[in-house]
Amino acid sequence: MAERDVLLIVDVQNDFCPGGRLAIPEGDAIVAPINRIAAGFAHVVLTQDWHPGDHASFASAHPGHRPFESIDMPYGPQTLWPDHCVQGTLGAAFHPGFAVPHAELVLRKGFRREIDSYSAFFENDHRTATGLGGYLRERGLDRLFIAGLATDFCVAWSALDARKLGFEVTVLISACRAIDTAGSLAAALADMRQAGVALVEGEPRQASPS
Ligand code: VGL
Ligand code: ZN
């Protein structure tokens, strides 16, 4: 992989895997492929969904509402989720089989109680920056490859924001799994194609880290 390439691995956390609080079907099936893919990249960034226990994206914070319903928040519509990835819990920890020791940055997101953050670049108001755009730009990493969970939320929103910021973006679609609620997967795939995100099956050609 070239010096300008970076692999962004999104939310490979226990709560998104079978047995977790917001379990994604086959969420754990991507762990081994991602470990393999990451070995071919010199530069790897991880994200970690990291919510306070009373986070506003949790249905439990909205009496009378249930998980997977959508409500209107000041910044727009927000899907409500089961409590998940609470800061410091085992559910928020990376999957135990996830092994990418050379990752250079772990970016936590979703830590503000009042606002969710699917994207690794901007919170769900599309304005509050996480700092990742500046980090990548300052390091000259402008070719982004993305894998992880979930295809239709944190992966797609990260890919779309990265395109808006001018990065070249490839989503390694076989190394992602989707939640797929209310047509979210089909919509996310269409939006990514429309935005010029390359959706690639299989694993990128292996190269020794530069
Ligand atoms: C995610 C829903 C809520 C994700 C995170 O990682 O895609 N989805 N929090
Ligand atoms: Zn979350």
Side-chain angles (χ1 to χ4, degrees):
M1 297 289 151
E3 195 53 34
R4 53 194 281 248
D5 291 354
V6 58
L7 177 65
L8 178 67
I9 306 177
V10 176
D11 298 0
V12 182
Q13 292 167 260
N14 288 321
D15 271 341
F16 296 125
C17 293
R21 310 283 295 274
L22 177 39
I24 296 167
E26 298 182 357
D28 55 344
I30 64 167
V31 173
I34 284 180
N35 290 344
R36 234 173 7 245
I37 291 166
F41 281 82
H43 306 297
V44 180
V45 170
L46 314 180
T47 68
Q48 193 171 23
D49 208 40
W50 197 251
H51 300 307
D54 57 353
H55 196 247
S57 77
F58 296 170
S60 61
H62 303 271
H65 290 278
R66 315 236 311 236
F68 305 101
E69 283 179 16
S70 180
I71 63 161
D72 288 317
M73 298 280 264
Y75 52 82
Q78 168 71 48
T79 303
L80 296 178
W81 304 108
D83 293 18
H84 65 279
C85 297
V86 173
Q87 295 169 359
T89 63
L90 187 59
F94 292 114
H95 185 281
F98 184 52
V100 185
H102 64 297
E104 294 167 342
L105 176 72
V106 179
L107 181 107
R108 289 173 168 170
K109 60 181 179 61
F111 48 75
R112 284 190 183 83
R113 192 179 72 82
E114 298 298 338
I115 182 166
D116 207 358
S117 188
Y118 297 148
S119 163
F121 294 92
F122 292 99
E123 304 198 15
N124 284 12
D125 61 0
H126 301 287
R127 264 191 292 279
T128 307
T130 64
L132 183 61
Y135 173 89
L136 296 176
R137 189 156 291 137
E138 287 200 4
R139 295 201 52 205
L141 300 168
D142 62 359
R143 261 184 18 140
L144 199 57
F145 295 76
I146 310 180
L149 304 170
T151 319
D152 42 348
F153 288 92
C154 292
V155 168
W157 288 47
S158 297
L160 293 169
D161 279 346
R163 287 294 299 138
K164 284 185 196 142
L165 291 173
F167 294 96
E168 198 178 310
V169 184
T170 301
V171 168
L172 304 171
I173 205 80
S174 337
C176 300
R177 289 294 184 279
I179 295 173
D180 203 8
T181 176
S184 55
L185 178 58
L189 293 173
D191 290 348
M192 286 193 283
R193 284 197 187 95
Q194 172 77 22
V197 174
L199 301 177
V200 169
E201 305 267 354
E203 299 181 15
R205 276 192 312 281
Q206 292 296 297
S208 45
S210 46

